[in-house]
Amino acid sequence: MSEPSRIVPVQSDEQADIDISGASFDFVRSIRVYHIQFSQRENRDGDCIRSDWTRLGSYGTQGDYRWTRSSFGEVPLASRLPRSDDCRSVSYRSVFVDWRDHAGNYGFEEVRY
C-alpha cells in the first residue's frame, strides 16, 4: 500500500524567485503586448471619427507586468494594422506581441479577433 500524498501549502508574493534585474534578462523586459482596438470612419460632414482603445502591456525590472494606455500610432509597423493618411473605414482588433531575444533579434506575432 502506498502512503497518501502530502499536501504542502504554498504562498506567492507574485515576484520572481531570482533577481532578474541584470542585463542578461533584458529579453524579458523587451516583451511588449499591444491590445489593439481601433476603428475609424468618416461621418456625413466629412469629419474623421476615430476610436482608439489600444493598451500596452510590458514587464518591469523584476518581471512585474503592467498595462498602460497607448495608441494605434505607437503600434510597431510590423503589425498588420491598416495605416493611411485618409479616413477610410477601418475596424481592427488584435493582440500584437513583439520582443528581442537574448541575441537582439526582433520577433513578433499578431492574432486578430
Side-chain angles (χ1 to χ4, degrees):
M1 214 159 128
S2 65
E3 292 186 29
S5 299
R6 197 172 132 196
I7 298 175
V8 179
V10 177
Q11 291 186 1
S12 171
D13 60 4
E14 297 185 19
Q15 294 186 11
D17 292 3
I18 60 170
D19 180 10
I20 64 168
S21 63
S24 58
F25 291 95
D26 282 348
F27 70 94
V28 173
R29 288 178 288 281
S30 79
I31 299 169
R32 299 181 300 179
V33 179
Y34 289 87
H35 182 222
I36 305 165
Q37 291 182 285
F38 175 75
S39 65
Q40 74 178 18
R41 64 177 177 78
E42 193 172 313
N43 69 9
R44 290 184 212 167
D45 298 327
D47 299 322
C48 189
I49 308 300
R50 286 193 172 113
S51 298
D52 186 2
W53 297 281
T54 302
R55 297 183 303 153
L56 170 62
S58 58
Y59 290 93
T61 305
Q62 284 294 350
D64 50 308
Y65 190 78
R66 69 186 172 283
W67 285 103
T68 56
R69 182 88 174 108
S70 189
S71 73
F72 77 98
E74 295 177 32
V75 174
L77 294 176
S79 168
R80 294 181 152 276
L81 174 65
R83 301 164 203 264
S84 66
D85 293 332
D86 63 357
C87 190
R88 63 187 170 109
S89 181
V90 172
S91 181
Y92 196 84
R93 295 188 332 165
S94 77
V95 174
F96 178 86
V97 181
D98 72 348
W99 63 86
R100 295 239 174 236
D101 68 14
H102 69 282
N105 300 308
Y106 182 72
F108 65 90
E109 287 290 331
E110 185 168 24
V111 177
R112 289 199 63 188
Y113 66 98

